[in-house]
Amino acid sequence: MHDELWAKRGSDGKWHSLVGHSADVSAALEALIKIPLIGERLRCLGSIKTTENDAFSSKLSALAFLHDIGKANRGFQARSDVGAPPVGHIDELAWVFSGGRGAEAVCDRMSETLGLDRVEAWLTDGSRLFDAVFAHHGRPWALGDEGRHADIKDASAHWRAGSGDPVAKLAPMRAAFDTWFGEALADAEPLPDLAGFEHAFAGLLMLADWLGSNPAPGFFPFDNGRHADRMAFARERLALVLPATGLDARPARAAEHQIGASFAGAFAQQGREPFVAKPIQAETARHPARLLVLEAETGSGKTEAALWRYAELFRAGAVDGLYFALPTRVAATQIFERVKRFRDNVFPPQERPAVVLAVPGQMHVDEAEGTRLPDFDVQWSDDGDRAARWAAEHPKRFLAAPIAVGTIDQVLLGSVRVKHAHLRAASLLNKLLVIDEVHASDTYMEHLLTNLLRFHVGAGGHALLLSATLGAGARARLLGSGEVPGRVEADTVPYPALSWYEDGIERRQQLGLAGQPKPVRMEARPILTDPDAVAETALSAALDGAKVLIIRNTVGQALRTQEALEARVGISDGALLYQAPHADGRRVATLHHSRFAEPDRRVLDAAVESTIGRERATGGCIVVGTQTLEQSLDLDADLLLTDLCPVDVLLQRIGRLHRHAGRTRPHGYEEPRALVLVPEARELIRTSLRAYGLGSGEKGGVYEDLRILELTRRLVDAKSVWTIPDMNRQLVEAATHPDALCAIEAELMATDPDWRPHFDKRTGKYFADLSAAQGALLRFDQRFSTFRIEPDEVIATRLGGADRHVDFMSGERPLPIGPFGRLVPALKLPHHMAGDVPVEAQPQDVEPLDEAGGFTFRLGSIAFTYDRLGLRRME
């Protein structure tokens, strides 16, 4: 194709020189470091006290310039012929530096050609920044601490001298290096050799490589070998690209200052009374701690507190962006709309940072929706600015968005040994990280989160953890205080409260009154396994005019309850059963759970809030669902029927009961009542209860720790009235504090030996999860060279089986139509439903159902139905 080294090529015959591409990435890294907060975080990790000498960013930019020198090898360059074998450039370069047979001579020639001795002068004996340079594709090269690794393969054929000598062809790189990095070469001060600095540099270089490798309009077009002034061009282009993508927040900050929205203005909604900041919102926003835990009751305004803290930190220049992490995809989708509304109130239209829904499989930025096309391109539903949507077009870039709402999994992927983990962790450094419902994390997830928090906050970043009530043990671990307060002290911790760690002590600040006391009458009903009795109880209340919310622990039991209700009232009685609108205008009886397609979930969410939310109509109605009803949705039930669950989850569900004060309630339901569905037998050790989400089997369970469930049941029996939120702290500690768990375990084993296998299993699982977390962690406190990704190792952010993605867009058939008249591009198949479905299976025999709506399909030999009751496997 040409004699000069190339780095990128297009299907249209255009190409990009190695010098030109290297300049683009080098300039991108330099520009990122010159963003004040990113540079500040990097210097913090490197313990650099001054910013006077700009040689710091110039040296790192020079290292970035070398990131693709491995592309000089013969095998890679031969790929200008589309039929050539797919030879890479990372491990091929690792061979050069391995010291293996024949490699040393190539290494010496390469060092001389490029003048690498001058770069080595910046690196101390312990520094592994060079390793980080060649991890820009998201994984480390094969070299380890000893300078060689068994995975390194002989690449001598790719670097042989003679005609077309690949090392000699690197001479233009040397010439460009000398021209563009004179300032760096004139400064012999070594770069930091601290582990956290190396990891952060690796992540920022990955981000720079994503930016500099984008040939789209407005980014970095191919130079076709004309690279003499490429560095100047790249720097000029980045001055436009970084603000356009939202990575440089300075223009948005200047515009936000012009508006200076008040709290009331930030949360203004048409038709609503202006908001006045509550103590939890005002105090959370101005607190100086970098890592805060906010505990307050459901419905008290924790989401607004988090957003207002972001606004205040953003104004002060302490953060450049926001990542709002939720425990589930469903909760993320629900919060997404609230965050967009807040953004619209705080920023002027011409400088509004994009709000990205960071959920893989969905592509949403503001009001626009994207569709994946061949060749990794994206088609958007409007003609908005593509640069502003850059971060949304690939999940690895989600955390680089100026404002993103997504699952906690995207955060935790920056804490484990997976490809591009450093990119995610580094993209968060200048953002406020908000973790909602942090109590929902298990042992494994909590350990991963703690690891990331230490890195993030250690670099000077900000994080806010939200919970209705967090147990003392979890709070101490997440804050890093290490010491769990005793039970008596834990019970007296103020509520609602902010907690933080300072001078070796966990400190706390009470946030005014806990809110208007809400006495909730609690009653245990031994009808957990009787859906007919559940249906009769709910129907009686609905006929009295009550809005009834039924939350079951599993989809299976929710379906059984719905079927029992429909057997009594029929599916056409819109006065009593929850219904969602069909695209043709009719109403469809349904229920609310996680096994619906994303377009249908949006319909269901809006319908359930209109049915039983703030603006609900009068008259009785019953809504059946699962845990999807306990988070993020603004629901206001007159009566709650809920399966037994851990006390912190139960409090979350109770938060959907009598949520809005001052409403006229039907006679007999003026006071909030919660009926807790429990098994008839007193003991919880029966294996049959796994179907109801209590306990675990070989494939795990929903709520596996029977100690917490037993203590929660006893709380319901012992206290007929729970005053919320005054009792929240004592209730949670009574069922989750380590002292309480040890006591109930000793008591139960002393009275019934059948409990011992459960406790032994729980102990084993705890240590297994802890061990799995330790093995999965990306150790930011260890040198970069210790970072490894084993070829066959799969590391997840949650333990257990992985859900499957069923894509209906890959075939030539039109997309199927769901039960509410919307097209269904994809479905999520839960892991327990996909156990014997071949991994490679694609949907076949997609057939519409009758006029009821929905469709059937087959994966391998397994048939599925998707209709108004959700996705079900047909046995």
Side-chain angles (χ1 to χ4, degrees), residues 175-236:
F177 192 95
D178 293 350
T179 300
W180 292 332
F181 300 105
E183 181 182 17
L185 293 171
D187 190 314
E189 186 72 19
L191 288 165
D193 64 352
L194 299 176
F197 178 85
E198 293 171 355
H199 289 283
F201 169 69
L204 290 173
L205 179 53
M206 292 175 199
L207 181 57
D209 193 31
W210 278 95
L211 283 166
S213 298
N214 189 346
F219 282 80
F220 298 94
F222 292 171
D223 64 11
N224 290 308
R226 295 184 292 274
H227 53 67
D229 59 350
R230 188 67 182 196
M231 184 62 77
F233 168 83
R235 286 169 174 161
E236 291 174 0

Side-chain angles (χ1 to χ4, degrees), residues 633-707:
L633 291 168
D634 184 6
L635 306 184
D636 183 16
D638 299 315
L639 175 67
L640 172 68
L641 280 72
T642 169
D643 285 351
L644 177 66
C645 56
V647 66
D648 52 346
V649 179
L650 183 54
L651 288 171
Q652 191 78 15
R653 295 178 182 183
I654 290 172
R656 271 59 191 158
L657 181 64
H658 282 232
R659 186 179 178 98
H660 298 295
R663 187 189 297 279
T664 301
R665 309 281 174 178
H667 178 68
Y669 299 89
E670 295 89 351
E671 296 182 353
R673 292 171 57 210
L675 305 182
V676 182
L677 312 182
V678 298
E680 291 184 25
R682 291 293 310 171
E683 76 278 2
L684 291 171
I685 201 65
R686 288 164 42 202
T687 57
S688 61
L689 296 180
R690 295 171 189 159
Y692 302 89
L694 309 180
S696 63
E698 293 181 2
K699 297 183 179 180
V702 182
Y703 304 115
E704 299 185 353
D705 195 333
L706 295 181
R707 300 172 303 172

Side-chain angles (χ1 to χ4, degrees), residues 291 293 295 437-443 445-447 449-450 453-454 465-467 469-485 490 499 506 648 729 732-733 736-738 741 766:
L291 174 58
V293 172
E295 296 172 274
E437 311 292 353
V438 70
H439 61 269
S441 300
D442 57 22
T443 299
M445 295 175 66
E446 182 187 287
H447 210 64
L449 177 58
T450 301
L453 289 173
R454 297 296 167 268
L465 313 182
L466 308 178
S467 178
T469 310
L470 191 61
R475 189 175 61 248
R477 291 188 297 272
L478 288 166
L479 287 175
S481 59
E483 186 173 340
V484 180
S499 301
E506 183 181 317
D648 52 346
R729 179 75 70 200
V732 168
E733 297 299 349
T736 66
H737 193 280
L741 296 177
Y766 170 79

Side-chain angles (χ1 to χ4, degrees), residues 356-403:
V356 171
L357 180 62
V359 174
Q362 302 180 35
M363 211 177 299
H364 293 278
V365 178
D366 300 336
E367 307 303 325
E369 185 171 356
T371 303
R372 182 74 61 196
L373 299 176
D375 298 325
F376 306 103
D377 199 5
V378 173
Q379 178 179 321
W380 288 95
S381 57
D382 62 17
D383 57 356
D385 183 5
R386 285 290 297 272
R389 298 167 182 179
W390 175 82
E393 295 188 346
H394 200 292
K396 292 182 176 67
R397 304 199 296 251
F398 281 162
L399 302 189
I403 301 177

Side-chain angles (χ1 to χ4, degrees), residues 315-480:
R315 286 172 182 169
V319 301
D320 286 340
L322 169 70
Y323 186 85
F324 205 118
L326 286 302
T328 65
R329 299 161 63 102
V330 173
T333 303
Q334 292 157 355
I335 291 291
F336 179 61
E337 295 298 329
R338 295 170 65 180
V339 173
K340 283 196 302 179
R341 188 164 56 243
F342 162 81
R343 184 274 317 267
D344 290 348
N345 290 339
V346 170
F347 292 91
Q350 68 275 14
E351 287 291 351
R352 282 177 182 161
V355 181
V356 171
L357 180 62
V359 174
Q362 302 180 35
M363 211 177 299
H364 293 278
V365 178
D366 300 336
E367 307 303 325
E369 185 171 356
T371 303
R372 182 74 61 196
L373 299 176
D375 298 325
F376 306 103
D377 199 5
V378 173
Q379 178 179 321
W380 288 95
S381 57
D382 62 17
D383 57 356
D385 183 5
R386 285 290 297 272
R389 298 167 182 179
W390 175 82
E393 295 188 346
H394 200 292
K396 292 182 176 67
R397 304 199 296 251
F398 281 162
L399 302 189
I403 301 177
V405 182
T407 64
I408 190 174
D409 303 84
Q410 294 301 313
V411 173
L412 297 184
L413 283 170
S415 185
V416 293
R417 294 182 296 103
V418 296
K419 195 174 181 184
H420 287 102
H422 293 87
L423 169 65
R424 290 180 164 95
S427 296
L428 272 177
L429 284 177
N430 60 336
K431 296 178 174 61
L432 171 63
L433 171 59
V434 177
I435 310 289
D436 200 5
E437 311 292 353
V438 70
H439 61 269
S441 300
D442 57 22
T443 299
Y444 179 81
M445 295 175 66
E446 182 187 287
H447 210 64
L448 304 188
L449 177 58
T450 301
N451 182 54
L452 185 75
L453 289 173
R454 297 296 167 268
F455 176 69
H456 184 72
V457 177
H462 290 265
L464 174 64
L465 313 182
L466 308 178
S467 178
T469 310
L470 191 61
R475 189 175 61 248
R477 291 188 297 272
L478 288 166
L479 287 175

Side-chain angles (χ1 to χ4, degrees), residues 808 813-819 824 827 843-859 863-867 874:
F808 295 102
R813 295 173 57 97
L815 290 178
I817 299 176
V824 176
L827 282 168
Q844 296 179 315
D845 301 334
V846 182
E847 299 293 341
L849 291 168
D850 55 22
E851 63 276 3
F855 56 90
T856 61
F857 64 95
R858 183 170 53 81
L859 288 175
F864 296 88
T865 292
Y866 180 61
D867 61 9
M874 310 307 294

